[in-house]
Each structure stands twice: as structure tokens, then as C-alpha cells.
Amino acid sequence: MLVEKIMTSPCTTIRGDKSIEDALVLMTQKEIRHLPIVDEHDQLLGIISDRDIKMALPSILSDDDPNQSLSLSISKIMRRNVIRCHPLDFVEDIAIDFYEMSIGSIPVIRDNKVIGIVTQKDMLNTFLELTGVTMPGSIIEVHIDDKVGALHDITGIFKEQNIDILNVLAYTDQENINKRYLMLRIKSMNPEKIYQLLEEKEYHVIHPFGMKHD
């Protein structure tokens, strides 16, 4: 999946000569938490988050005037070393940036201009979409040998039963490198027959809540 499929575009930006108060008002109006800062050519200068603004304001226990902080230029608190991406980058690649850098958003740049933004919420929505959890159906999880053809063998059982597979996810068994977990979301609300067939073929089916289906 490409970034352009999940990014918010166009995205709200603010010029670097605006005040912290201007940014706060804009973020409140737009109900956003991350705001790219651009120059007159829409080139990225930096980024701020609602957390950056809160950190820039004096504590409610302080005698300092908060209006003084709000009047400062947004460039005083913006983060300048910004991780950015291209709309044709893979979502999987920027997911690593979110994970490793603990960032809340990534501006999307094309032709040196900010054209969009991807946030943690966008990534979560994408993950939910990829798992198929938003679609009606059932999940079947199987513990399988990590070998060539294992997926083909499993999906053949579903084909024989004329059951549509909506999504497939696989992840490694951290305790056994020769095993994998295979999670299939199927277009059926009654997976009992598939449970039975899989176990008849000696597959290890992971039952929800550890409850085995009869």
C-alpha cells in the first residue's frame, strides 16, 4: 500500500512567521494535533504538535504570563529535523519510522512542497483495514510449520468449502523459529466446519479464549 492511499491531503499548514497562539487557534479549529510549518512556497520548515505547545506554555502554578509565550513566533518551538516521506513510499516503510522514532506524524512531500500528512491515527486505521476487522466475518488462527507451500495447503481447504478469505496475516512464533501463526479472516459467521476440517488434517487451531469448538 502506498502513502498516497492513506495520507490526509491537502493538509493544514501554517507559515513560520505566525505566533504560537495562531497555531493553537488553528489546531483547535481544525481539531488536529500536528501542524507542518511552511514558507511562502509551501516548503517544509518544521512541525509542531499540541504537546510542543503545551510544553512551551508556563505552568498554571507559575506567575509567568502565558500571553507572553503565546505571542512568540511558532519558529521558536518548531521541530526542524523532520522525518518526511513521498506519496509513493510504501506505508510499511514509514511504519518503521513511526515505530523506531516514536513520532506522531510524517509530512508528505512532493516537488519540495507539503502536500499531505500521515498521522499515527492514519496508521492505526490502515492496520485495522488490513486485518479486515472492520468487515463482517470470522477469524481463524492456525499454528503452522514455517515451510514452502504451507499457505497453499491451508487455503486449499477453504477453497474446497467455497469460503472466501478476506485477509491473511502471518507472524513468526517468537519461541520457535520453525513455526508461524497464520491468521485468516473469512467471509463467514459460522467457522465451525472449518475448525473441524483443519483439526482433522492435524493443524493446530488457536481457539478464541482457549475454548475448543465442538
Side-chain angles (χ1 to χ4, degrees), residues 72-84:
L72 294 174
S73 170
I74 198 70
S75 62
K76 295 283 187 183
I77 65 168
M78 70 181 183
R79 300 175 186 270
R80 299 177 185 274
N81 296 322
V82 183
I83 294 175
R84 58 196 72 190

Side-chain angles (χ1 to χ4, degrees), residues 192 195 199 205 207-214:
E192 308 300 330
Y195 278 119
E199 290 176 336
V205 180
H207 292 272
F209 310 108
M211 298 175 62
K212 190 171 182 177
H213 294 242
D214 297 326

Side-chain angles (χ1 to χ4, degrees), residues 6 8 31 33-34 98 103-105 117-129:
I6 69 168
T8 298
E31 298 182 339
R33 298 179 57 197
H34 305 274
F98 275 101
I103 52 180
S105 65
I117 191 169
V118 179
T119 66
Q120 285 183 333
K121 183 178 180 182
D122 296 325
M123 297 301 294
L124 177 59
N125 289 339
T126 301
F127 174 76
L128 292 175
E129 183 179 344

